[in-house]
Amino acid sequence: MKFATRSDIDAHVMHSGRHAGMSWLFDALETNRAILDDHFSLCGEQHARYFLRFRAFALDRTAIAGAVDLLAAEIPGGPKAPTRILCPESAGFELGRALSRRLALPIAVLAVDRTRRPVPRLVTGQLDPDDKVLLVNDIITTGQALVTMSRFVTSVGGQVRHIAVFATQGDAARSFAGRNDVPVSHLVHTHWPLYAADACPLCREGGAPLPAAEFN
Ligand SMILES: [Zn+2]
């Protein structure tokens, strides 16, 4: 497996623009080999050369603590504060658990299917009908996981109050936030190309893609 070099990372990953002095985070992405460089198939029939393996970043205690500090600072307190965190039982769990500790909020965890997408079934914790929920995940790519998670919250009578993710890709996060009037906090935006499966230049060069879910 190859890993993205620092120049790959600088070319394809931007910080959110809301925080200063973020070079430590880009250093951590590189040194923890958190961005894979090969040929991946993602959920939603898209292919990409790079894949963010958040779990590798989250194993770095200093890096995850720094990321959690920045995200936690954006979560409102007082009457607007969330009452619970909901995350999936995939790489997003690492961030959900860390934010749960940092914000002293109870956590509920959704099961995932064999492609690591969340399904509407809790494996840990509970949601109450009056819960104001902070949705947490590692990355928003297609937005499908966000839709599943927010429908689950609504189905039990709760309300999505805020979304916190490590990374966003494409427009899915912004369009979800706009449609649902829910703020999204993120630290980085990845903008490497995503290709439709039937128009992927990496496929044309030969070689089948690796299923990204295997690395998450
Ligand atoms: Zn391909």
Side-chain angles (χ1 to χ4, degrees), residues 27 29 56 58 79 91 97 104 111 134 147 169 192 213 215:
D27 292 342
L29 286 173
R97 181 171 59 177
L134 169 62
V147 169
Q169 161 103 48
W192 50 73
F215 299 91

Side-chain angles (χ1 to χ4, degrees), residues 57-127:
F57 178 91
L59 285 171
D60 181 333
R61 284 171 175 249
T62 306
I64 186 78
V68 164
D69 280 349
L70 292 175
L71 285 172
E74 295 193 16
I75 311 304
K80 293 197 161 181
T83 57
R84 198 175 301 269
I85 285 173
L86 180 69
C87 66
E89 189 187 32
S90 47
F93 171 72
E94 307 292 340
L95 187 57
R97 181 171 59 177
L99 276 168
S100 161
R101 288 176 178 159
R102 181 71 168 68
L103 296 166
L105 286 174
I107 189 169
V109 182
L110 284 178
V112 293
D113 66 16
R114 62 184 176 76
T115 66
R116 312 294 287 165
R117 288 205 246 194
V119 295
R121 175 171 61 83
L122 286 172
V123 289
T124 303
Q126 63 179 65
L127 277 189

